[in-house]
Amino acid sequence: MKKYLLTRQELSQLLDRLAKETNLYAPVKDKTGATWGKVKNTAEVHLEEVNTREPAKGFIFPRCEVLLRFDQKGNALEPEPPEEQIVFGIRPCDARAIAFLEKFYTIEGKTDPYVKARREKTTFIGLACNRTAPTCFCLALGGSPHDATGMDLLLTDLGDLFLAEPLTAKGEKLIAGYPEAKNEHLTAGAKLRKKAEAEIPLRIDTAKLQEVLPKAFASKIWETLALNCVNCGACTFLCPTCHCFDVTDETVRGSTVRCRVWDSCQFTLYSRHASGHNPRLDPRARYRNRVMDKFYYTVEQAGVISCVGCGRCIIACPANIDIRTTVERLLKEFPEE
Amino acid sequence: MSRSEKLRQRAKELLASKEVAMVIGYCAGSKPGLSQPAFITRPEEAQRLIFDSTCSQNLANYLLKVKNSGKVAVVAKGCDSRSIVVLLQENQIQRENLYILGVGCDGVVQNGAKSVSCLACQYPNPVIYDEMIGDEVEKPAPDPIVAKNDKEFEQLSSAERWQVLSEDISRCIRCYACRQVCPNCYCPVCFVDASMPQLVGRTHNLSDNMAFHIIRALHMAGRCVECGACHRACPMGIDLMRLNRRVARIVRERFDSVAGVDINKPPALTQFNPADPQEFIK
Ligand code: SF4
Ligand code: SF4
Ligand code: SF4
Ligand code: SF4
């Protein structure tokens, strides 16, 4: 698609206008880094960190999605419909994760109406990463610090100018009226892409992984890979593609809601059957499930590896488990072990 | 011989002589400046062991996971050893199945700075051990900034304290990393996981988050050893030590009890003393 140009000032003006007209979300500064927040103007946007602590999945798959609402007499009340929102500053890994969630939640033509409705109301304005973190490995899994998958508009920071690539009609609309980029700008963008990609040396043989994982399932290797894991939910809750949920009814101040809340395969309750039997009581089996899910199960289900290489689970893990090491060891030690 | 070298050598000997079946210690992590819990079962693997200020997890937590592994040696800093004492007092582990390799600790680091729990640490040396690896260290002077923050928090009205706590706790995503890394949080079914009936709501609103944190703090009263493992584990950077220090101080001042420092002294909550302050019973 064609690419356009915005000056830094024009981008500020655009964001200021969007903040007035609609709900604008962007990375904002907090005690320990950057998080997503609703902003009133460009000045509140904080782009100093490589990425936000939490992923952007909450914009289409919130931690708590109200499905039904009742009053005290048992009358059903309409849940509030999602509002229009613009998300500025989403990074390529997180946008690919959004694309994954959209895909996952339409498997076999069964569309999840909640994710769909939110995605329709959301515009993602992405920002290419000119700088990566030591935990980033998007490139090893088919992504790139400059990848545009899942976004409506991708911006690349060229210094005084921003290169803007619309990917959807929503993106086109935002960028209408700005001048088209010239060759020199495209070259500058390509150079930045190459530089950022060069910062990620890791390569993963994803095709081989598909052979290795089913064979490794019953292996003893998990005993050493997962002994550290304490089965908390830090990695799953912060993972941009983890998509499991539970449904719970709660009464707050006289009104009852049925909510869909995030769940984690690391919790024992997750796999407990109604009978009380729990087929996945072994903590190592729970860690294994997470790895299998990212790199194998979602390939079977939706045709794609669901790890986008954002590195959040590596940063968040209290036991300092590194999913890259896990994958590398599986590839190296299997099936020879 | 450096401390890490000595540790490796002793671990190797203990495994080679079959005195223990496993050594739980630390090895280098995948990133510089980070280490990982390590579970060593073969003498030649003992090479991987390290001990330095990056060794931040409380390894007592893993003793509960390897219960069926026979006799286990564990590397224990001051706080880890206190957790072990609490676990022994609560009959969760057997002393004869344990070989404690004590290490003096100058404080662990997180994100390049000394962990807040270590700034206030009064027990940097193991309170129980089978042998010391390296020398004991000197007790640090209590950190004035932590003391000042605590004092300021104390002096707030209860409404203001609630406000401060609410701001922090509203950000909790209930990943339970804090609970999972805590050696003394070991209930087979945690109250937040009870689902028949459900005791605490799961929608991450402030009142449910608060219920989790306050009930957990009360369950840990007289048992929390202020190791800071929970505080460091929290991916949201929530100041969990503020609550922990306050509860520990109340137990210390009112019941003359410090968790896990004396194996022969029954924990505060397990004994009834008619002289205990009980002005709340009206
Ligand atoms: S598994 Fe880890 S690195 Fe992969 S997408 Fe999830 S949080 Fe990011
Ligand atoms: S891998 Fe780490 S973050 Fe994930 S459940 Fe295990 S201990 Fe928690
Ligand atoms: S509550 Fe936190 S500080 Fe206290 S013993 Fe448990 S992990 Fe350590
Ligand atoms: S580790 Fe932090 S975010 Fe997770 S449950 Fe504990 S306080 Fe909440």
Side-chain angles (χ1 to χ4, degrees), chain A residues 137 235 238-241 290 294 306-313 323:
Chain A
F137 62 113
C235 53
L238 291 187
C239 175
T241 65
R290 175 167 155 75
K294 294 289 141 198
S306 56
C307 173
V308 293
C310 73
R312 280 195 185 83
C313 57
I323 197 158

Side-chain angles (χ1 to χ4, degrees), chain A residues 228-230 246 250 320 322, chain B residues 30 35 62 65 180 202-203:
Chain A
N228 295 358
C229 174
V230 297
D246 197 357
E250 269 167 33
N320 293 336
D322 190 323
Chain B
S30 65
S35 59
Y62 291 101
K65 290 183 89 178
Q180 294 303 97
R202 299 184 61 190
T203 52

Side-chain angles (χ1 to χ4, degrees), chain A residues 135-270:
Chain A
T135 42
C136 296
F137 62 113
C138 53
L139 199 70
L141 295 166
S144 157
H146 281 236
D147 187 39
T149 313
M151 297 177 184
D152 294 293
L153 182 69
L154 170 66
L155 300 176
T156 307
D157 186 346
L158 300 180
D160 298 328
L161 292 167
F162 282 87
L163 205 55
E165 180 187 3
L167 287 309
T168 62
K170 281 185 212 167
E172 293 269 6
K173 210 176 127 202
L174 280 171
I175 208 69
Y178 291 100
E180 225 177 278
K182 300 206 184 74
N183 264 342
E184 55 182 288
H185 304 119
L186 300 181
T187 316
K191 228 168 139 191
L192 286 168
R193 176 179 190 128
K194 222 169 151 198
K195 186 172 159 278
E197 287 183 350
E199 288 179 16
I200 303 172
L202 182 70
R203 294 294 174 273
I204 295 174
D205 187 344
T206 49
K208 182 157 176 230
L209 254 189
Q210 301 314 304
E211 289 165 33
V212 163
L213 284 174
K215 279 193 250 166
F217 183 87
S219 159
K220 274 190 163 13
I221 195 169
W222 298 102
E223 283 175 24
T224 55
L225 285 176
L227 253 180
N228 295 358
C229 174
V230 297
N231 298 111
C232 63
C235 53
T236 51
F237 281 1
L238 291 187
C239 175
T241 65
C242 271
H243 47 265
C244 286
F245 60 82
D246 197 357
V247 175
T248 172
D249 289 352
E250 269 167 33
T251 301
V252 182
R253 291 189 197 90
S255 141
T256 300
V257 287
R258 174 161 296 175
C259 299
R260 156 159 113 175
V261 292
W262 289 357
D263 201 355
S264 167
C265 58
Q266 300 308 307
F267 298 159
T268 45
L269 192 59
Y270 176 91

Side-chain angles (χ1 to χ4, degrees), chain A residues 8-25:
Chain A
R8 194 164 280 276
Q9 202 192 355
E10 282 167 339
L11 178 62
S12 296
Q13 287 163 348
L14 175 67
L15 293 176
D16 285 341
R17 176 167 67 76
L18 293 173
K20 274 203 203 82
E21 287 171 5
T22 175
N23 300 303
L24 180 67
Y25 293 88

Side-chain angles (χ1 to χ4, degrees), chain A residues 62-80:
Chain A
R63 214 143 62 193
C64 168
E65 175 84 77
V66 176
L67 309 180
L68 297 170
R69 211 183 268 282
F70 302 95
D71 67 11
Q72 269 166 318
K73 296 196 191 88
N75 300 316
L77 309 173
E78 275 299 311
E80 285 156 28

Side-chain angles (χ1 to χ4, degrees), chain B residues 128-225:
Chain B
I128 179 176
Y129 55 82
D130 292 290
E131 72 180 278
M132 277 296 282
I133 303 291
D135 298 328
E136 295 211 344
V137 298
E138 260 184 58
K139 185 164 97 177
D143 184 72
I145 299 173
V146 175
K148 183 170 155 276
N149 288 348
D150 279 354
K151 194 146 184 227
E152 278 171 13
F153 186 62
E154 296 293 319
Q155 282 164 350
L156 298 176
S157 68
S158 71
E160 288 167 327
R161 280 203 298 272
W162 185 258
Q163 184 60 34
V164 172
L165 282 181
S166 299
E167 271 167 28
D168 226 13
I169 301 247
S170 62
R171 294 169 39 245
C172 170
I173 56 173
R174 303 261 290 281
C175 67
Y176 304 133
C178 50
R179 176 190 75 185
Q180 294 303 97
V181 297
C182 176
N184 299 331
C185 236
Y186 54 71
C187 291
V189 179
C190 177
F191 65 95
V192 287
D193 290 337
S195 59
M196 291 186 288
Q198 182 131 338
L199 299 177
V200 180
R202 299 184 61 190
T203 52
H204 315 270
N205 61 34
L206 178 60
S207 58
D208 290 325
N209 280 0
M210 205 54 120
F212 165 56
H213 284 282
I214 292 181
I215 298 175
R216 180 168 129 79
L218 291 176
H219 284 186
M220 294 308 296
R223 306 174 60 238
C224 168
V225 301

